[in-house]
Every structure is written in structure tokens, then in C-alpha cells.
Amino acid sequence: MASPANAGDREKVVSKLPGWLRQDLKIRSAQLGIEIQGAVEQGLAQWSALASAPTAVDTSGADSFSTWLPAGQWDTFRNIAADRGISLTQGLAQAVQVWLQTHPAPTVVRPEIPRRIIVCNQKGGVGKTAITAGTGEALAEDAATLHPVRVSKYFAALLDDNDGSDPLALEDLPGLGLRVLLVDFDPQCHLTRQLGHTPLPMEGDSLTKHMAGEAAGRLADLVVPIEEDRFGDRLHLLPGCHDAFLLDVRLSAVRAREASLERALAPLEGEFDAILVDCPPSLGLSMDAAVHYGRRRPNEAPGASGVLIVVQAEDSSADAYDLLTSQIEDLRGDLALDIDYLGIVVNQYDGRRGYIATSSLQAWTDIKEPRVVGVIADLKEQKEAVRLKRPLLAYAPKSDQAIGMRALAREIS
């Protein structure tokens, strides 16, 4: 049952646990940031301190389970199990159950002010819509389920600059469990269609009409759920409308037009923890309104809200980036706003394209303010998800792109 102690004065023990209990242990340990061996150690100590054995646990189908415990703890546990007349498998299952009961799952921390993530670049075709959807999906995944995430030195691996550790290693982590609203602010309505919905009719109510002071009803009535089990009831969409092509013209006659998006979305904010805005490829008044909406509000932590800039590893993205940041800096200065950069996402990256791609990626990572917070590969799963009108993280949850979206969501959280 036990091997000689390792360098950390622990010994390997091998027993059995039912699969469902082992999975609960794995998830709860990850939720609490505790190593499994530490959780088992605590559970055995708690179980051993009880005056008698608790209720029996169903251990049918139990299979091999191993961990490392402090030297001597397993022998003590074995003696107590013998005194109580139960098997080691039953005793271990009871100990794990005791630990789970005394270490409940943490509740999802809800921000007092909903985070506002403005996904933008005035250059079209860089994949803003995919990043908006994928980041929102990653924020909304179930907090009681583990999902593969790459959290280590991924950028360093792409640039062949790491410390010898495995930069591509995956880690299973609980979802973030946030209530998320995706706002399709682009008149082309790509986000709406990609998630399987139809753009709002031109003659009906829309976000554009609410921003222009011509609302025909409640904006909340236009919001639709993304019905995938993976997201529960946490992921929603405000569909786009082609009338947004006329938004800049309409805003020119609106008082305090920079705050028009904020006025429109304010009634929805109490229902969501994060609101992601998929911006049009524009430097017009609508972009001013989006950036203003992402400004840091009083009592809001720096970096909670702001602009997330999507680029590609090629030269034209750099030109568009300069134009966008100039507009943001003008708004900062003219309106005295605190506008935070959440980072740069290099999208649709493929190192096989040679020097242009690799040198451009290096140039983006050389920018330290704002820094690169995500590199998303150009792979088939995203295109397939779009064709099937399904969220990427529901269609291909273990794909490299999905793993990258989860890493991105955590980088900006």
C-alpha cells in the first residue's frame, strides 16, 4: 500500500475510490486551489479525529487511486479503519466525503460594477467577432466543471524563448461561471449569425434606436439566450441590426453622444457580470461611444473594464492599431477619461506562414504597454463552428483555439 518516503517526506499510497468521488475531489481541489494530496491529507485527519465512522459511502465500481501523504499517516489511518471494522476503500471514501462536506465549493465572485470589455480594431477581417464570442464563452463556462486551459508560457514557446519548463502544458481548471452578455454592435451582424440567431428587423426595435433616443420598447426584450448546456443560463446575446450602418449619422444629432451606448445598456447591467461589445471596423462616432462605455468608472478597479484590441501577425494590422490608439488617446485627453487597455490579442496566428508572421508576432510582443494577452491560432475548428452556427467552446471545447480563449479570459480577468 505504501512506498518509501520521497524527498518531501511523503509516501505514495495506493487504494481505491469510486470514479464519481474522485471527480468531485478533483473539481473541488481545483476550485479551492488545493493540491489533491493536501485535500486527502486533510480529509484523513478529519476522519481519524471523528468519534465514529460516518455514514457509509457507495464504493461500487471503485478503481485504483494513488496519492502522496505524510509519512506514517496511512499506517495510522489503516489502524483506525481496522478498529472501526471497515475496509480501507470505504474509509478513504468516507474521508474524502468528509473533506468535501467541510470544504464547500466557493461561490462565484460577482463584480459590483459589471465589467465592460470593448473588442475593437478599425481594420476588418482580424477576427474581432471570434474573440468576442470565444472570450465571452470562456467567462461563462460552468464553475463546477473542469476545462483544459493553457496557463503557462505559451507566448514564449511561440518565440522559442522559455526557461526549460513545458510551455504547452495544460491544466484542468474550473470555469469562471460569470453571467455574460455579448453585444453585437457591428451593422454586419456577424456575431449574431455566428451564434445561430437572426439580425433584428430594420423596422423593429434595436440598440441603434435606443442609442438615438427612438426606442420602441425595452432593450431587455431583445436579449436572447445562447442555449448550450455548457453555459447554463449564463450566456446571452443582444443581436445586431443592419440599421447600425446609419448609427453615426443618427448620433450626430444626439446630445452627449459619447454616452449614448452607456445610456442604452444601463438597464441591462444589473443582470450581468460582464458585457462584451463586438465593435464595427470604424473610427466614427459609434467607436467613440463604445470606448466611452469601456472607461473606468468611479470606484472601479484599474483593468476591470477597457478596450481589448484584436490584431493579426501582419503589417496592415500595425497601421490600423496606430489609428485606433490615436483615437483612444484623443478621447482620454478631450474628455478626461480613464480608459484602460486590457491588452492586445494576436488572432489567426500561423507560424508556418514564415517570416512575416513570426516577425510580426515578435513586434507585437515587444510592445509592453499594452501587452499581448492572447495568441489564438488559425485552425479549422473556429471556421467549422461558424459554419454550424455554434459557439466554439461548445462545438470544440478541447480544441487549441478553445484552450487559448480560456487562457485569454483569465489573462484579462
Side-chain angles (χ1 to χ4, degrees):
M1 294 291 291
S3 64
N6 67 357
D9 292 329
R10 285 179 174 264
E11 58 186 4
K12 183 177 181 180
V13 300
V14 180
S15 186
K16 290 184 176 181
L17 270 182
W20 64 269
L21 189 56
R22 184 167 58 250
Q23 182 68 5
D24 286 352
L25 172 63
K26 183 179 180 181
I27 292 173
R28 189 68 51 80
S29 298
Q31 290 174 323
L32 298 175
I34 299 173
E35 291 187 356
I36 289 178
Q37 64 181 21
V40 176
E41 176 186 344
Q42 294 172 11
L44 288 174
Q46 291 174 292
W47 182 86
S48 298
L50 296 174
S52 62
T55 305
V57 175
D58 181 3
T59 59
S60 57
D63 54 14
S64 181
F65 172 80
S66 64
T67 189
W68 293 84
L69 296 174
Q73 186 182 35
W74 187 256
D75 289 335
T76 299
F77 163 71
R78 180 163 39 199
N79 292 334
I80 295 174
D83 291 342
R84 293 176 177 176
I86 59 175
S87 68
L88 294 178
T89 297
Q90 178 62 216
L92 179 59
Q94 291 179 8
V96 170
Q97 190 76 293
V98 167
W99 184 84
L100 289 169
Q101 292 167 347
T102 56
H103 293 78
T107 57
V108 175
V109 177
R110 311 267 178 216
E112 292 185 11
I113 302 173
R115 301 187 59 208
R116 293 145 347 268
I117 300 171
I118 312 304
V119 185
C120 55
N121 192 333
Q122 67 92 20
K123 182 181 184 298
V126 296
K128 295 185 294 294
T129 297
I131 297 302
T132 303
T135 305
E137 292 160 24
L139 290 171
E141 282 188 311
D142 187 5
T145 304
L146 299 183
H147 313 276
V149 184
R150 182 172 290 118
V151 294
S152 54
K153 302 179 180 66
Y154 181 54
F155 308 144
L158 293 171
L159 298 170
D160 296 321
D161 179 19
N162 63 75
D163 60 6
S165 60
D166 182 3
L168 301 180
L170 296 179
E171 184 175 351
D172 286 334
L173 295 176
L176 297 174
L178 299 182
R179 301 168 301 183
V180 176
L181 175 65
L182 304 175
V183 177
D184 192 345
F185 195 44
D186 187 339
Q188 300 172 92
C189 302
H190 292 318
L191 179 62
T192 300
R193 290 193 177 92
Q194 287 184 18
L195 293 175
H197 288 272
T198 302
L200 297 170
M202 291 277 286
E203 64 275 10
D205 203 8
S206 68
L207 177 58
T208 296
K209 291 184 175 66
H210 280 257
M211 293 177 65
E214 303 167 2
R218 297 191 320 138
L219 193 63
D221 293 337
L222 304 180
V223 174
V224 294
I226 304 301
E227 295 179 344
E228 293 278 358
D229 292 342
R230 189 172 204 86
F231 311 115
D233 61 353
R234 294 178 298 276
L235 186 62
H236 291 75
L237 168 72
L238 176 56
C241 180
H242 296 309
D243 67 357
F245 279 115
L246 305 174
L247 180 56
D248 281 4
V249 175
R250 291 185 174 185
L251 288 182
S252 64
V254 173
R255 186 178 180 182
R257 53 181 175 263
E258 293 86 1
S260 59
L261 181 59
E262 182 168 342
R263 289 195 298 268
L265 293 178
L268 303 179
E269 290 186 354
E271 301 299 319
F272 299 99
D273 304 312
I275 298 175
L276 288 81
V277 180
D278 183 24
C279 292
S282 167
L283 292 178
L285 298 178
S286 56
M287 191 65 222
D288 284 350
V291 173
H292 182 278
Y293 184 56
R295 80 195 188 287
R296 191 193 319 154
R297 296 178 181 176
N299 302 319
E300 187 173 21
S305 298
V307 294
L308 184 65
I309 302 175
V310 182
V311 301
Q312 290 179 325
E314 42 78 40
D315 294 339
S316 62
S317 279
D319 297 334
Y321 170 83
D322 290 339
L323 290 171
L324 176 61
T325 53
S326 293
Q327 180 177 8
I328 293 171
E329 294 306 317
D330 287 344
L331 280 171
R332 267 179 161 176
D334 294 345
L335 301 180
L337 302 178
D338 289 322
I339 301 171
D340 294 328
Y341 291 97
L342 300 182
I344 298 170
V345 181
V346 182
N347 193 31
Q348 300 173 353
Y349 177 74
D350 186 350
R352 296 172 300 177
R353 291 175 181 152
Y355 174 74
I356 293 296
T358 57
S359 61
S360 294
L361 177 61
Q362 181 67 66
W364 289 120
T365 56
D366 285 343
I367 298 175
K368 304 304 180 185
E369 178 63 29
R371 66 183 178 88
V372 171
V373 292
V375 178
I376 306 298
D378 186 13
L379 299 172
K380 64 182 180 64
E381 285 82 5
Q382 177 65 54
K383 298 180 179 67
E384 292 171 350
V386 169
R387 174 65 64 86
L388 295 172
K389 300 186 184 305
R390 292 192 63 195
L392 169 67
L393 272 67
Y395 169 70
K398 296 183 179 180
S399 67
D400 191 73
Q401 288 166 317
I403 290 167
M405 294 295 185
R406 294 189 190 101
L408 169 59
R410 283 166 169 77
E411 280 288 328
I412 63 174
S413 294

